[in-house]
Amino acid sequence: MFQKLAIRFVLLAAAIVSAQSNAAPVPDSSLVVKKTTDFKVNGEGTASNWAAAKWFDITVQKGPRQASAGKAFPTKVKTMYSDKGMYFLFDCTDQKLTSTILEDFGALFKEDVVEVFLWPDTSVPIYLEYEISPLDYELAILVPNIKGRAQGWKPWHYDDRNKVQHATSVQGGQKKSMAAVEGWKAEFFIPFNLMNPIVGGAPKSGEKWRGNFYRIDYDSETAYYSWQKTAGSFHEFQKFGTLVFE
C-alpha cells in the first residue's frame, strides 16, 4: 500500500511539473532603461539613438466595467533616458483614428491615446501621468492617489524649462480625425524637471522606479492595453512594473 501511494505521489508531482513547464511564462515585471545622449523627437522614431533600445509589447487587458478584453492590434514601445529626461516611442497598429479632441489637457483618454505612468518615489502615492493622442495633443498631470482617491494636477508653470517635447505620425492614411489608417506612432521626451518635487534630477545607474505603459483604442469596440496588467483601472499603481536605469 505504501509503495502504491508513493508511486502515485511521484506521478502527481511529475504531472504538476510538466503542467508548469508547459504553462505560458509570466511576463517580466522589470525593464532595463538604456541611457542615451539627448536628441530631437520627430514622431517617426528615426533617430539613430533608438537602435540601442529594445521593443517590448503592450497587450490587451480588461478595462473598467468590461467583461472581456477588446480587439487587439499589435502595439510596441521603446524607452530610454538621458541626464535631462526620459524618451518614449509607441508604435500602434490601427484601422481608424478615433481622435476628435483638438486641445491639450483635454479628456484624451476618452479617445485613441497612449499613456505613460511614472512613479519615481514609492514612499509617496504620487506619480506622473502623461497621455498623447494620434493628433499630437497632450495631457500631463501629477496624480496624488490617496487610498484609491486619485486627482490629477496640471503644471502651474509649463514652459521651456519643463515642457514635454512630443510629435506623432500616421502610417497608411491621413493625420486627421476619424481617418482610415494602418497605424500611428507617438514619440516624446519627458524632462525630469516636470516631475519636480518628486524627482530631484536624473536617476543614478541602478536606481529603480515603478511605472506602466498603456494604450486605449476605440475602433468597433474599446480595447485597453497595458504592460503590467491591472484589474481594470490604470491607476492601480501597486501593480506597476519596475524600471531599472542602466
Side-chain angles (χ1 to χ4, degrees), residues 145-209:
N145 192 330
I146 312 299
K147 297 181 180 179
R149 293 178 290 112
Q151 177 66 53
W153 292 83
K154 298 184 344 184
W156 182 16
H157 298 291
Y158 194 48
D159 50 35
D160 291 342
R161 297 171 298 174
N162 61 354
K163 190 173 178 61
V164 175
Q165 300 172 28
H166 56 91
T168 61
S169 63
V170 171
Q171 293 74 52
Q174 294 182 291
K175 188 176 175 179
K176 67 178 185 178
S177 297
M178 312 310 292
V181 299
E182 296 176 357
W184 62 282
K185 295 179 181 178
E187 185 180 17
F188 49 97
F189 169 77
I190 300 177
F192 295 126
N193 285 341
L194 182 61
M195 290 180 275
N196 183 49
I198 59 173
V199 171
K204 296 179 174 60
S205 177
E207 189 172 332
K208 296 179 181 180
W209 289 9

Side-chain angles (χ1 to χ4, degrees), residues 1-203:
M1 176 65 73
F2 177 77
Q3 288 181 332
K4 290 182 179 180
L5 289 174
I7 292 172
R8 288 179 182 176
F9 178 78
V10 170
L11 291 174
L12 177 61
I16 293 173
V17 170
S18 176
Q20 289 176 336
S21 64
N22 292 326
V26 177
D28 192 352
S29 63
S30 64
L31 175 70
V32 174
V33 183
K34 295 280 189 180
K35 192 164 188 182
T36 183
T37 55
D38 285 299
F39 59 93
K40 185 170 179 156
V41 303
N42 62 7
E44 296 279 358
T46 55
S48 60
N49 305 59
W50 283 117
K54 292 183 179 180
W55 290 108
F56 60 93
D57 296 326
I58 61 174
T59 54
V60 291
Q61 66 160 62
K62 291 181 182 179
R65 299 173 296 281
Q66 275 190 324
S68 60
K71 181 180 179 180
F73 291 118
T75 307
K76 55 187 181 180
V77 186
K78 284 186 177 185
T79 183
M80 294 188 293
Y81 82 108
S82 71
D83 289 331
K84 295 181 179 179
M86 294 187 70
Y87 291 86
F88 301 91
L89 177 61
F90 282 74
D91 188 342
C92 307
T93 301
D94 207 349
Q95 293 179 340
K96 180 178 66 175
L97 296 185
T98 306
S99 186
T100 64
I101 298 173
L102 306 179
E103 63 176 349
D104 292 326
F105 292 94
L108 301 181
F109 53 89
K110 293 183 177 181
E111 299 184 341
D112 287 358
V113 74
V114 294
E115 307 180 8
V116 169
F117 283 51
L118 297 173
W119 186 23
D121 183 355
T122 56
S123 69
V124 293
I126 302 174
Y127 48 86
L128 176 79
E129 176 180 351
Y130 185 78
E131 303 181 10
I132 187 167
S133 76
L135 301 185
D136 201 24
Y137 293 96
E138 66 171 352
L139 171 66
I141 52 177
L142 278 182
V143 181
N145 192 330
I146 312 299
K147 297 181 180 179
R149 293 178 290 112
Q151 177 66 53
W153 292 83
K154 298 184 344 184
W156 182 16
H157 298 291
Y158 194 48
D159 50 35
D160 291 342
R161 297 171 298 174
N162 61 354
K163 190 173 178 61
V164 175
Q165 300 172 28
H166 56 91
T168 61
S169 63
V170 171
Q171 293 74 52
Q174 294 182 291
K175 188 176 175 179
K176 67 178 185 178
S177 297
M178 312 310 292
V181 299
E182 296 176 357
W184 62 282
K185 295 179 181 178
E187 185 180 17
F188 49 97
F189 169 77
I190 300 177
F192 295 126
N193 285 341
L194 182 61
M195 290 180 275
N196 183 49
I198 59 173
V199 171

